[in-house]
Amino acid sequence: MKKNGEYIIGFISLIAILALGKSGLSSPMLFFRLIAGLGLGYALTRANFGFAGSVNRTYRTGSTKLMIALMVMFVGTAIVNASFFIGQDATQYDLWVNPINLGLILGGILFGFGMAFSSCCASGVLTDVVTGLPRAGITLIFFGMGVYLGFPLQSTAPWITDTIVSTETFSNGVFLPDLFKGDGLGGYLGASILTVIFAAIVIWISKVYEDKRKAQNTYTGVDAEFAQEKTYEDKEAFKLFSNNTYEKLFVRPWTLGMGAVVIGSICILLMGVTKAGWGASTPYGFWFGKLLILFGVSPESVAAFSHKPVEIFTMPFFNHPINVQNIGIILGTLIALLLAGSLTKTFKEGLSISFKEILIYAVGGITMGLGTRFSNGCNVGALYTPIANFSLSGWIFLVFLVAGGILGNVVYKKLMANGSCKIQSSETN
């Protein structure tokens, strides 16, 4: 398909999605979730931004630019979120102050290991449905299986449900503002400074590591990041309706910084509108349960095993807000590629897959799924949102996520040694 054709289809599709969402979704809040998902999917794709890439790119190429961009986004989101909480009762928000326990540690390791195998995470697998369908499809099925199989443990195992340490505001986790109650802003000044310090430490380690890789001549960089850093010279006089203007608006890749600003802004809007942060992975277990029901398992049996209400598996799909948001991420990716005129090329490039890769992606999916249940979230639910909610658990998860990602990449590299598997591009280029 010619690029101009994709441009037209992109605009028509966007209008159709918004029109159908407005008329077909049952509430304005669900429509807001659709718009938020569209924005997240568009930004993740346009900026080639992903959470799994923060570890995968670092290990495979030596580039820590994405890790640094994530730290800046975490700090910015947390500081702006503080404006919602100062002088308010934080318990009136659905803050993800997660337990600190063995589950958090094991979940971080498992999730990091899985995202190295599948080259994506809970949000990345949604964008990859468009950019690498076979890999994403296999990963998503087994991700959902892992989430579903982990539901009983998440509900009953003390090493997942109980915390070894907590503070005053939330009984099941450490809320950083509780450590600085006397700072004049209810603890949020001290918590914000501590968040900046933690992020600065990660950035410093990242810089040192990248410089070391460059000194050892093992730094290769990431093609997409080179494209993002490219300087464009606009020699033509500005015209609103011109190819040059269109490329600026819809084709040229965003920088990682731009991606961080847009994604962070959407997550701040989510907090303001829904009083909760960004989550993605739990519905994958619900989707797997619906798949079991489709194959003849009774809804009651599916619900009893998972320790979830039967209604969660029988309710209309688009009545669940995170379902709507997740589908919005897929559609946002589709729109981004159509408007850039690169959908056909990108989709075709992602179709190749070998039997060995199928097994690798299945292992990646199930380990990520189980990891989310142990740690009570994924890269957004156990990392980004808790950090932005001033939960100490997010920083602990990051440490073990990186450890698991390194382990996964070491094993993946050995499996690839015979050349029968290839490093996927979505989180490494």
Side-chain angles (χ1 to χ4, degrees):
M1 183 185 297
K2 292 184 178 180
K3 287 187 176 182
N4 287 347
E6 290 195 8
Y7 299 159
I8 295 169
I9 293 173
F11 284 112
I12 293 174
S13 298
L14 178 58
I15 293 169
I17 290 166
L18 292 174
L20 289 172
K22 183 178 182 301
S23 61
L25 295 172
S26 59
S27 71
M29 189 61 73
L30 288 174
F31 186 50
F32 170 77
R33 290 283 189 174
L34 174 64
I35 294 173
L38 285 169
L40 289 169
Y42 186 91
L44 287 166
T45 304
R46 186 80 184 270
N48 201 21
F49 203 97
F51 294 87
S54 62
V55 180
N56 290 342
R57 293 183 188 183
T58 298
Y59 180 87
R60 298 173 183 177
T61 74
S63 173
T64 61
K65 293 180 177 62
L66 180 54
M67 178 67 82
I68 292 170
L70 284 174
M71 292 304 108
V72 173
M73 183 176 76
F74 292 173
V75 168
T77 308
I79 290 174
V80 177
N81 277 349
S83 67
F84 294 114
F85 311 146
I86 293 173
Q88 306 297 318
D89 180 1
T91 62
Q92 297 305 303
Y93 289 82
D94 182 16
L95 301 189
W96 295 17
V97 181
N98 293 342
I100 297 172
N101 49 34
L102 179 61
L104 182 68
I105 293 170
L106 293 179
I109 293 171
L110 277 175
F111 195 88
F113 186 92
M115 74 184 192
F117 268 40
S118 289
S119 293
C120 63
C121 59
S123 56
V125 73
L126 297 172
T127 62
D128 288 353
V129 167
V130 182
T131 62
L133 180 59
R135 173 170 54 86
I138 294 161
T139 298
L140 189 54
I141 291 170
F142 284 91
F143 199 137
M145 179 188 293
V147 172
Y148 181 77
L149 293 175
F151 276 149
L153 282 172
Q154 186 185 24
S155 299
T156 61
W159 52 276
I160 297 176
T161 60
D162 300 340
T163 187
I164 60 174
V165 61
S166 64
T167 54
E168 178 185 349
T169 303
F170 295 94
S171 62
N172 213 29
V174 174
F175 187 51
L176 294 180
D178 287 338
L179 306 179
F180 304 95
K181 286 294 189 181
D183 68 0
L185 288 177
Y188 292 101
L189 177 60
S192 296
I193 292 172
L194 185 58
T195 299
V196 171
I197 292 171
F198 284 159
I201 292 171
V202 175
I203 291 171
W204 175 73
I205 294 172
S206 299
K207 288 281 192 181
V208 170
Y209 176 81
E210 183 172 312
D211 289 344
K212 182 179 178 180
R213 289 285 295 265
K214 288 177 177 177
Q216 294 173 341
N217 292 321
T218 59
Y219 177 91
T220 61
V222 181
D223 289 343
E225 291 176 0
F226 294 143
Q228 290 169 322
E229 295 165 358
K230 180 180 177 182
T231 301
Y232 294 90
E233 293 185 11
D234 298 320
K235 298 179 180 179
E236 300 177 11
F238 173 76
K239 293 181 181 179
L240 180 59
F241 298 103
S242 67
N243 289 334
N244 190 48
T245 300
Y246 185 89
E247 285 198 2
K248 284 183 185 178
L249 293 176
F250 300 109
V251 178
R252 293 178 188 174
W254 284 351
T255 64
L256 291 174
M258 181 67 174
V261 168
V262 174
I263 293 167
S265 297
I266 293 171
C267 290
I268 290 165
L269 282 173
L270 281 170
M271 179 59 68
V273 174
T274 70
K275 297 200 172 201
W278 180 14
S281 62
T282 298
Y284 298 163
F286 302 154
W287 297 0
F288 189 80
K290 285 178 176 288
L291 185 63
L292 293 177
I293 293 170
L294 185 65
F295 281 94
V297 182
S298 71
E300 291 75 18
S301 297
V302 168
F305 175 85
S306 65
H307 294 255
K308 300 292 182 183
V310 67
E311 292 78 16
I312 206 75
F313 298 101
T314 58
M315 67 188 295
F317 184 86
F318 287 106
N319 279 5
H320 193 290
I322 308 303
N323 285 351
V324 175
Q325 188 169 289
N326 283 347
I327 295 302
I329 291 174
I330 297 174
L331 294 174
T333 300
L334 181 70
I335 296 300
L337 293 175
L338 281 170
L339 294 180
S342 59
L343 175 63
T344 302
K345 179 177 179 291
T346 303
F347 184 79
K348 287 181 178 179
E349 288 176 347
L351 292 178
S352 175
I353 191 172
S354 69
F355 178 72
K356 188 173 184 179
E357 286 172 323
I358 291 173
L359 298 179
I360 288 173
Y361 304 148
V363 171
I366 200 165
T367 52
M368 281 194 289
L370 286 170
T372 66
R373 296 312 92 195
F374 294 174
S375 58
N376 292 291
C378 58
N379 274 347
V380 290
L383 177 65
Y384 179 24
T385 295
I387 288 175
N389 290 171
F390 297 105
S391 173
L392 180 61
S393 65
W395 292 106
I396 296 172
F397 180 81
L398 174 63
V399 172
F400 291 97
L401 172 80
V402 172
I406 293 171
L407 176 63
N409 272 289
V410 169
V411 176
Y412 186 32
K413 185 177 180 179
K414 291 182 178 179
L415 291 173
M416 290 169 48
N418 61 9
S420 63
C421 297
K422 56 183 180 299
I423 294 178
Q424 295 301 322
S425 63
S426 64
E427 289 291 353
T428 58
N429 65 19

